[in-house]
């Protein structure tokens, strides 16, 4: 419900910090697919996760941290 509430007004910047943490795999998969389908090109998604498999396919850039240091930018 909180995820839907954050996205309903189509904000230009969407910040999601571990949004799938309490979801089962099927719900997380559906939520990821929904993000891929419904985020528009004029919206920016900042997605924080410890798990690569949670990152939506629509994410085009990544910043990976190792401790407090930047480990990789793609």
């Amino acid at each position: 419900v909180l995820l839907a509430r954050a996205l309903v007004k189509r904000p230009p910047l969407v910040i999601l910090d571990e949004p799938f943490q309490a979801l089962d795999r099927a719900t997380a998969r559906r939520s990821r697919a929904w993000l891929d389908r419904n985020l528009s090109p004029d919206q920016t998604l900042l997605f924080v996760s410890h798990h690569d498999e949670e990152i939506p396919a629509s994410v085009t850039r990544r910043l990976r941290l190792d401790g407090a240091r930047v480990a990789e930018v793609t």
Side-chain angles (χ1 to χ4, degrees), residues 1 5 12 24 26 32-33 37 48 50 60 67-68 71:
V1 172
R5 184 176 140 198
D24 60 71
R32 215 174 19 260
R37 282 191 315 272
V48 178
H50 289 91
T60 58

Side-chain angles (χ1 to χ4, degrees), residues 21-39:
Q21 187 174 23
L23 302 179
D24 60 71
R25 288 182 189 209
T27 303
R29 186 176 55 251
R30 286 193 305 272
S31 298
R32 215 174 19 260
W34 189 93
L35 287 169
D36 286 335
R37 282 191 315 272
N38 291 290
L39 285 177

Side-chain angles (χ1 to χ4, degrees), residues 10-72:
R10 295 205 167 282
L13 175 62
V14 178
I15 301 172
L16 301 177
D17 185 2
E18 301 284 350
F20 306 145
Q21 187 174 23
L23 302 179
D24 60 71
R25 288 182 189 209
T27 303
R29 186 176 55 251
R30 286 193 305 272
S31 298
R32 215 174 19 260
W34 189 93
L35 287 169
D36 286 335
R37 282 191 315 272
N38 291 290
L39 285 177
S40 63
D42 63 336
Q43 288 180 293
T44 299
L45 172 63
L46 178 60
F47 191 94
V48 178
S49 180
H50 289 91
H51 308 285
D52 286 342
E53 67 274 5
E54 291 185 349
I55 300 171
S58 57
V59 170
T60 58
R61 295 184 183 154
R62 293 182 186 205
L63 172 70
R64 191 173 64 81
L65 301 177
D66 185 6
R69 297 195 179 282
V70 174
E72 180 182 14

